Each structure stands twice: as structure tokens, then as C-alpha cells.
Amino acid sequence: MLGLKKVTNNGFIYTFGALGGLLFGYDIASVSGAILFISKQFHLGPWQEGWVVSSVLIGAIIGALATSKFLDTYGRRKLLIWASVIFFFGALTSGFAPEFWILVSTRVVLGIGVGITSALIPAYLHELAPKSMHGAVATMFQLMVMIGILLAYILNYSFAHMYTGWRWMLGFAALLAAILFFGALFLPESPRFLVKIGKIDEARDVLMDTNKHDDKAVKVALDEIEETAKQPVGGWKELFGKGVRPALITGLGVAIFQQVIGSNSVIFYAPTIFTDVGWGVIAALLAHIGIGVVNVLVTIVAMMLMDKVDRKKMLEFGATGMGLSLVVMYTILKFDNGSQAAAYVSAIALTVYIAFYATTWAPVTWVLIGEVFPLNIRGLGTSLCSATNWLADMVVSLTFPMMLSSWGLDNSFLFYAVLCGVAIWVCHSKFLETRGKSLEEIELDLHKAAGVKEAENTSSN
């Protein structure tokens, strides 16, 4: 079955390659509506609710860490097929779960699929795309995530009137997983993995198709890939070595800051925030769908900007806009909470905050993680950063309710605004710039920088 003829149309490759992102987005968002009904039917307490929600994150950390081993051993395409099977099984069984612990267990399995795709797809899309399209193609993953989140919000609202609605909310992902499975059967393998296992001719054929049969571009790309593929496969020692340190700081930095600047907490608690500033419950739920629409639209804008604006500038601009929006929301909640004007201004500020996030930190994080690491440790690097992202997500998810109860919503927003300022400084002073460079050029820059430092150290001794 894995020997089926591959479809080499770029649109097909990029769409199905990124489809795992839609599953990823759907699965993390569908539980926000489902938990309201699960809690009533299974008579769950707050602690058990937390387990249902965060069990996916536990699985995601396991899946992301396991990806590095399989990514470099079996290839990108086979792993995507396996991930779709895990998704299908996890979604279907969670939809039929008869009691609490089975639901938690099946959502851990589902999370493994989420973790694999979060580590795999950014690297896979980067390795298939010409360097002039790296950012736009990799951003397709984030666009699919946002479409998945919007789809979850719409279906949550649609199934809300049904007693078994939550089972449909969770189980619907199985249909998406089946589509991904059959699409992945026809996807080509990454040319970089093909070169690594000695299939040069197959790699050339894939590059020809993805580079529109530009002989010169294919020759340059293939020469660069062959040069970097000669390096022995690295392990943890190489990943934490001096030569890769700038890439590691960049990858881990974006993975952590994407979560700790409050994005997921603010998005997840959007209906609560709307009701706190005076909106009705139904209006708040519909506004949640509106936020999902904004997310999709601004991610399309990010796709158009990604290869025209430096990655670091986008992150700094995004954190600035997010920080200012949070300050506005803090001010309203602190000094003018309850008035109609406050409700409208806070809604606008929240939408602006999410728009800045979805245009910058949401997509750029995965673009950088997918392209910043050298080939011989790319699987390990992307796995570690993806697992770190999920771990940071879990920490934020667990601490935000406590922060909310002890500090209040206003001071919580102010805290996240301060973290936005820290993110700007770290990004400006520590992160690497990768726009407009091939994966091999980024790797050569790392080696040159390491060589210069080693030379300096030698001369100083």
C-alpha cells in the first residue's frame, strides 16, 4: 500500500501535508465545548475536568519526543500515515468512552497523534518547499490549525442542543483523520530523507516537481542537500553543543514564549472575558466563533507576509501589539468594568490581541522550529521544541485558573503584558534570522558562527 503512485502536484502536497494541522487545531479546541456536557454526564469535579482537558497535552509531549527517533529512521511520510491512524483511533474511542478514566486514556492516545504532527509537519513542509516559499508553505500548517479551531467552535455550537453532542464533538475528528490517512498514502517522501537513505534519483524527481522543473534550482538544492547529508546523525550531545546553541535558543525560545505570553489562555477564556465585561452568554459564545473567523483571516495575511518580512521583525511587532492590547484590557477591567463602552472596547482589544498573535507568534513559531536546526539533528530538535511547547501550554493551562482566582483577570492581563516585553527583548537579542535562506544555508551559517567562536577561543588561549 505504501508503494502507491505519488501525486506530485504542489497544491496537493502542501494541502494534505498541512492537513494534520487541521486535526491538531480541531482536537485542542473541541474539548472547550465538550467539557461542559462531559462534566454534567460524568459528574466530574474541577480536578477531573482538568484531567480531561490536559490529557491531550500529556500525550502531545510523549508524541513530540518520540517523533525524533521515528522521523530519522522511517521518514516523514510513513510517520504522517501512522499519526493519522493514531488520530483516528483516539478520536473514535474518545467519542464512545463510557466513563472518566477511559476518556482520559483515549485522549492521551489522541494527544500522541497531536504531538507527532506538531513536530513532523513543519519540518516536512520545509523540506518539500522551495526556499522562496518556505515561510508561506510552513504557515499553511498554522492556517490549518486555525481552520480546525474554527470548525471545532462551529460544531460545538451546532451539537450543543444534543444530549450526546459531546460525543459527536470529539468523534468527528475521526473523519478528518481518515481523510488525512488516504491523502498521506499519495504524498511523496522528503527529498532530504531520500538523499539520506541513498535514493538520489527519487529525491531529484521530487525536487523537480516541487521546483517546477527548474534544472538549475534543483541542481543547487540537491548539491546542498548531499553536502549536509554527509554529516553523521547527531544525538543529544550534538543538539546541546556550542555549534547548535543559537538554533536551540531560537527554537526553544519561540516554543516557550508562544505559550507564556498568554495566547491560549486568553483565547480559551474569551467567552468568560466577554461575560465579565457585560456581554450575554449567547453573545459571548457567538463571539467565540467570530474570534475563530478572525484567526483564519489574519493567518492568511501571515501567509502573504511570511516570505517578505523578517521572522524576528514579525515576532517583535506581534508581541508589541499583543502587549498594548493587554494593557488596554487591564485598564478597562481595572477602572471601567461593567459599562457598555467598556464592553465594546474590551471586545475590540481582545480581537486585536488575537489578530496580532495569529499573524505573528502563532505561525512564525512553527516556521522557525521547522527550519532552524541542522539536518543531522532536525528530527531531535523539532521534537524537543514541540514537546517544550506542549509542556509550556500545560503549565500555562494549569496556572491560569489559579492566577485568575488570586490575582483577578485584570492583573493577569498585566502580567502577560510584561511577558510580552520580555519576549521582545529575547527575540531581538538572541534569536536567529532565517528568512530567504535555504535549510542548508541556515545550517552553514551555524557552522560558520561556531567556527568563528572556536577560532576566537583558540587565539585567546
Side-chain angles (χ1 to χ4, degrees):
M1 186 177 280
L2 296 181
L4 292 170
K5 181 175 174 58
K6 307 302 181 288
V7 176
T8 52
N9 174 274
N10 277 5
F12 180 90
I13 292 171
Y14 301 147
T15 300
F16 273 92
L19 188 61
L22 190 144
L23 267 169
F24 169 9
Y26 182 86
D27 285 325
I28 60 175
S30 59
V31 73
S32 65
I35 193 65
L36 300 173
F37 306 95
I38 295 169
S39 183
K40 287 180 182 177
Q41 289 180 31
F42 286 173
H43 309 290
L44 304 183
W47 179 81
Q48 290 172 308
E49 284 182 18
W51 267 106
V52 171
V53 173
S54 61
S55 51
V56 163
L57 302 179
I58 295 168
I61 293 169
I62 296 168
L65 287 174
T67 299
S68 64
K69 175 70 175 174
F70 299 112
L71 194 68
D72 293 327
T73 305
Y74 299 104
R76 284 58 166 155
R77 178 175 159 269
K78 282 184 181 178
L79 194 56
L80 188 58
I81 292 169
W82 294 346
S84 65
V85 172
I86 294 169
F87 259 125
F88 182 85
F89 177 78
L92 202 62
T93 51
S94 63
F96 282 104
E99 53 94 26
F100 167 70
W101 281 113
I102 292 178
L103 179 60
V104 169
S105 302
T106 55
R107 283 184 57 75
V108 170
V109 172
L110 190 67
I112 292 171
V114 171
I116 291 172
T117 52
S118 69
L120 163 66
I121 290 175
Y124 177 68
L125 292 177
H126 268 99
E127 292 179 358
L128 281 168
K131 71 177 180 181
S132 61
M133 294 174 60
H134 271 173
V137 170
T139 306
M140 278 190 70
F141 173 69
Q142 186 62 33
L143 177 62
M144 288 290 195
V145 172
M146 293 305 181
I147 292 172
I149 290 172
L150 175 59
L151 182 62
Y153 289 163
I154 292 170
L155 289 181
N156 284 353
Y157 189 78
S158 303
F159 292 134
H161 67 284
M162 298 169 59
Y163 180 74
T164 57
W166 69 267
R167 296 188 182 277
W168 289 93
M169 293 173 194
L170 299 184
F172 182 82
L175 174 62
L176 303 175
I179 295 170
L180 175 61
F181 173 79
F182 287 109
L185 292 176
F186 296 94
L187 287 172
E189 182 52 85
S190 155
R192 286 163 178 82
F193 181 74
L194 290 170
V195 168
K196 187 178 170 185
I197 60 174
K199 296 185 177 180
I200 309 296
D201 291 338
E202 280 189 44
R204 185 182 289 106
D205 291 342
V206 175
L207 286 168
M208 275 290 184
D209 291 323
T210 55
N211 285 272
K212 299 180 180 178
H213 297 274
D214 183 337
D215 288 321
K216 185 179 177 182
V218 169
K219 186 180 184 309
V220 170
L222 197 58
D223 287 345
E224 288 179 343
I225 292 168
E226 287 184 286
E227 184 62 34
T228 53
K230 290 175 185 175
Q231 299 173 33
V233 176
W236 292 105
K237 183 181 177 182
E238 287 76 15
L239 182 62
F240 287 97
K242 285 186 179 179
V244 185
R245 193 164 296 162
L248 192 63
I249 290 171
T250 302
L252 289 177
V254 288
I256 293 168
F257 276 113
Q258 189 202 47
Q259 297 298 335
V260 301
I261 52 182
S263 52
N264 279 357
S265 295
V266 173
I267 291 169
F268 189 82
Y269 281 90
T272 305
I273 294 163
F274 280 128
T275 54
D276 279 358
V277 295
W279 287 54
V281 174
I282 298 301
L285 288 172
L286 287 172
H288 214 192
I289 295 175
I291 286 169
V293 173
V294 170
N295 270 332
V296 171
L297 294 176
V298 297
T299 305
I300 294 171
V301 173
M303 282 183 69
M304 294 187 287
L305 291 175
M306 194 60 68
D307 291 307
K308 297 175 183 174
V309 182
D310 286 351
R311 317 282 196 240
K312 288 174 64 171
K313 285 181 181 175
M314 287 185 73
L315 292 177
E316 289 164 16
F317 178 70
T320 302
M322 290 167 70
L324 291 174
S325 302
L326 288 166
V327 169
V328 169
M329 284 190 278
Y330 161 77
T331 305
I332 289 166
L333 289 168
K334 192 78 172 176
F335 302 108
D336 190 26
N337 192 13
S339 72
Q340 190 175 24
Y344 284 119
V345 173
S346 62
I348 293 168
L350 181 66
T351 306
V352 169
Y353 169 91
I354 290 166
F356 272 107
Y357 169 72
T359 317
T360 57
W361 280 88
V364 175
T365 293
W366 298 109
V367 171
L368 280 172
I369 288 172
E371 69 188 4
V372 79
F373 291 102
L375 178 64
N376 68 326
I377 52 167
R378 186 164 300 142
L380 200 60
T382 55
S383 295
L384 178 63
C385 290
S386 297
T388 301
N389 184 265
W390 289 113
L391 182 61
D393 187 2
M394 180 179 285
V395 170
V396 171
S397 299
L398 291 172
T399 57
F400 188 73
M402 290 184 284
M403 190 188 300
L404 211 58
S405 62
S406 59
W407 291 4
L409 195 57
D410 51 357
N411 292 322
S412 299
F413 282 166
L414 185 62
F415 174 72
Y416 285 134
V418 172
L419 288 180
C420 284
V422 176
I424 293 168
W425 177 81
V426 173
C427 176
H428 184 76
S429 59
K430 303 293 182 184
F431 288 2
L432 291 175
E433 181 54 62
T434 58
R435 182 176 71 93
K437 298 176 182 179
S438 71
L439 299 176
E440 288 67 37
E441 286 169 342
I442 295 166
E443 184 167 346
L444 287 171
D445 286 347
L446 274 174
H447 292 317
K448 284 176 186 174
V452 169
K453 285 177 183 175
E454 285 171 16
E456 287 174 354
N457 290 338
T458 304
S459 60
S460 64
N461 290 336

